[in-house]
Structure formats: structure tokens, C-alpha cells
Amino acid sequence: MDCHDDTSELEHYKDLALKLETVIEFSTDGIYVVDSNGVTVLVNRAYEEMTGYKKSDLVGKNVFDLTEKGYFDRSISKLVFKEKKQLSIVQKIGNEEKLGEKKEVVVTGSPVFDEHGDLSLIVISVSDITEISKMKRELTKAMETAELNSHRFAVHTEFEKNQTIVFRSPQMKQVYEKIQQVAPFPTSILLSGPSGVGKEMLTNLIHHFSDRKEKPLIKINCGAIPENLLESELFGYEKGSFTGARLEGKAGLLELADEGTIMLDEIGEMPLALQVKLLRVIQEKQVRRIGGNKTKDLDIRIISVTNKNLEELVKQGQFREDLYYRLNVVSIDVPPLAERPEDVRELLQYFFSYFSKKYHIQKEAAEETVRYLMSYHWPGNVRELRNMVENLIVSVSEKILEPYHLPFRITQVEQGTNEVTLKSMVQNYEKKIIMEALQKNNSLRQAAKELGIHHTTLVKKLQAWKM
């Protein structure tokens, strides 16, 4: 090959490289290329416009150093270097001073290998999904609003996984709307209601709707901790303040909840001596550790939770009146499940779906079973309903849950009445015994023999029950 041919081929590659650079430059996706050492070698115009960063800020700089300086919240290059394959992640990037916010982007890193199989380059493509994410959040909000307007609602909290509040009743809609109204303000809230209605989940919801959602939500059960320990848990202590204290001292939960929210569960169980100290903390907005003489400024929201009537406790002298009024700035009463039967069907549907997915078992309740459950008064409220559904899902082998699978306390109530009838009690008990026998034996004849009846009698009973 002569010199002229070499020159032509070189010119051809230069022209091709120029065209390729032009294509990259005018791509609507951001393009970011790093070499085998993680040094930025190319950034296109779309990336500049998307992030607010200039090429001069990035080219020649190592992506690991740029990540540490906050240019990206995490590095796709680091992951590709490690895995040696194409990977995608969601990042938050961008110059906040210039753009006003970080951009949410999908980043795909693709490794390029040389002829020896060694990693030569990583080509990173970046797609802006900020607006799509905003639209998704707005759509979710609109759907939730639509559900609320149609009197069925489910709200998910980010604080705890697998916590969903489901309701249809006007009483719970009123509770939810009140929470939405008061949550943004730092006022103290008193949540009252019987055990099992979901007061802790509503506390999570209040925190979730407040401007403190990124700050701590600390929970303490005032009735489950002995009085001497409760004081040290709440207020903390300095080193050597009492026998058994840590040498380095300990911060109390009130102190740890600074700028956030503290939930005082079973507040009615708090000893009077501690009520005085808590009142002082609320009034002075300061806390002092046991054995200490320094005070710390405190900015906390207090959510008190009780299943007792605090007004009655005040009259009986078991709860301080001044503390009661400090805690009861906003009062939210959560009604028992028996007073909102509209919610029972919604909760049953939700928990059957939830536990079926959780345990990878498809189960559903027969309509007659649902009617029994709707008639039951649920003294244990939502907690009892949830536990019962979970028990049915895991302990019953059949896919369709019939009334005879239900606990006796539920089936003893005749449909449409509040009276126990001997007929319904006997029939459900009979069904339960027969089904247990059928599950243990391989044939109707064997089951009938175990039951001590003729197999034709057993067949007639099953036919009458449409089983």
C-alpha cells in the first residue's frame, strides 16, 4: 500500500470520527464517557443542558472525585468497573444553584472492551425523568383523591413498610381529613381510641404529612417500662448519675427526637412524678438529663396516644389537668371497628390480598363467610381482623374459605341477628368436624367410617351444603 492510500484511509477515519462526534453532540440524551481510569473524556451538549454543569467542570476530572464533591449522588462508573457489564440506575444530579433543583435521571453505563478484552471506556447515557416522576406523583395523588371522593381510600406511609390505612366509612374519612389539616403544624395531638384501631399507624401518617417527615419519629410505651427506667429513657442521664448508669452517659428519647416527633403511647399510664417533668419540658422547650445541670433547647412535636379517658383520669387525680390541656391541643378520636362496619369489607379485601401475595397463596372468602365477618363486632378492632385473616390464609388448606373455617366466636352469631341459635352453632360445628375428617382420609367411605356414619349420609350432607 502506498503513502497515498495510507493518507486516504487516515482522512476517512478522521472524517468518520468527526461525524460520530457530531452525532454524539446533537443527541437528545446526555452522553458521558470515561476512560479505564475513571477520567472523564467526553461530555455532550445535552448533558450540559440537563445538569447545568459545563464540560470544563468535568472533562479531565475523575468521576470518583466528582462523586465525592456531590456532582452525582452515586457513580454508575464504579458499578460498571466492578460488574464489567451494562447496568442502569436512577440518579439525582445537577447544579442546584443554576437549575433550582436536582434532576432525576436514568443512567445507563455500557463497558467498551479493547481487542485484548480489557475495559477501555465506559459510555454513559443519561435520560431526564424529572417531569415523568412529577407526573407520576401527581397522578398518584389524583387517584387517591378520586378514591377518597368515591368513599374508598387507601393511604401508604413511607415511614414503615407494609403499612396501609384502608377505609370507606365517613368517620374515618373525617379522621383522615383532620390529620391532613393539622399535620403541617407543630401542635401537640392527642390520639384516643380503643386498642387495635390503628393509632400507631395514624401517628406515622401525621409524621408523614408534616414538614418533620425527614426527621426522627421516636415511639415510647409509657405503660410497658418501669417508672425508674422510663425517666432515664425519656430524659437521659449524665455519667455516674446513678448505680448502673453508663460511664459515658446517655441521651434521652426527648433529646433524640429534637426537630422531629415523639409518640407517647399509653400516656395515661405515665406516673404523676414524670408528668410534672414532662410538663416542664413542654413549657420551657428545654430538657435536662438526670444528674446534669445543663439544659438543651428542644423542638419536638408530641403525639400522645391513649385508650383511656384522660378526662376521667384528671377527675380521679391520676392525671395532671395542666398536662392534659398541654397535650390535648388537637384531639383526634378514632372510632372502634364496630362503629364503622363499612370498613370491614374493605379491610377484609385488603388483608386477604396482602397475605395471599405475602405467602404466595391464593385464597378468598366465600360470600357467606364475608357476611359472618361483617356481622361480627370485632372487639379487638383492626388488629384482631388482620390477625384472623393471616391465620386463615396460612392454616386452611382450601382455596375458598367457608364459614366452618371461622373461629367459633364468629360463627356463633346468626346472620342478621345478634342472637346465638342452637341450629347455626351445631351446623357449623358439624361442618368443621366433617371437613377435618375429609382432609385426613383419602375417600368419603374412610371419612364416614371415622365419623361413625354411613357414607350415603355423608354424601347427602355435602350435597345439602353444596360442597
Side-chain angles (χ1 to χ4, degrees), residues 41-197:
V41 295
L42 186 149
V43 175
N44 73 345
R45 185 186 304 171
Y47 188 90
E48 285 185 301
E49 292 173 353
M50 194 183 299
T51 64
Y53 298 134
K54 294 182 178 294
K55 291 181 184 179
S56 56
D57 298 330
L58 305 169
V59 174
K61 308 287 176 59
N62 193 291
V63 287
F64 304 121
D65 295 334
L66 292 171
T67 303
E68 284 190 10
K69 291 177 180 177
Y71 280 76
F72 333 106
D73 61 345
R74 53 187 178 144
S75 172
I76 184 67
S77 303
K78 186 176 182 179
L79 296 173
V80 176
F81 275 126
K82 182 180 178 182
E83 300 290 334
K84 300 289 192 300
K85 63 181 181 181
Q86 187 181 81
L87 296 169
S88 296
I89 60 171
V90 175
Q91 275 186 338
K92 285 194 174 181
I93 60 175
N95 187 334
E96 281 189 277
E97 292 181 7
K98 188 171 181 181
L99 301 174
E101 63 175 347
K102 291 275 188 184
K103 290 290 184 74
E104 196 169 350
V105 296
V106 173
V107 179
T108 301
S110 303
V112 178
F113 300 97
D114 61 21
E115 64 272 19
H116 303 296
D118 296 322
L119 195 145
S120 174
L121 297 170
I122 296 176
V123 178
I124 301 164
S125 64
V126 185
S127 300
D128 188 353
I129 60 168
T130 306
E131 292 304 316
I132 294 173
S133 296
K134 284 181 181 177
M135 288 171 65
K136 183 180 177 182
R137 287 192 291 269
E138 288 173 4
L139 178 62
T140 301
K141 186 176 180 181
M143 289 173 67
E144 288 179 347
T145 303
E147 279 194 303
L148 182 58
N149 291 336
S150 66
H151 309 297
R152 181 183 186 274
F153 194 70
V155 60
H156 309 270
T157 67
E158 294 175 0
F159 181 78
E160 300 262 355
K161 287 186 177 180
N162 304 325
Q163 288 211 345
T164 304
I165 301 166
V166 178
F167 60 87
R168 180 188 287 271
S169 66
Q171 299 99 312
M172 284 305 293
K173 180 183 176 184
Q174 191 174 9
V175 168
Y176 173 78
E177 289 175 343
K178 191 168 186 178
I179 285 174
Q180 275 191 313
Q181 172 64 32
V182 303
F185 304 100
T187 50
S188 296
I189 294 176
L190 178 63
L191 272 176
S192 303
S195 296
V197 291

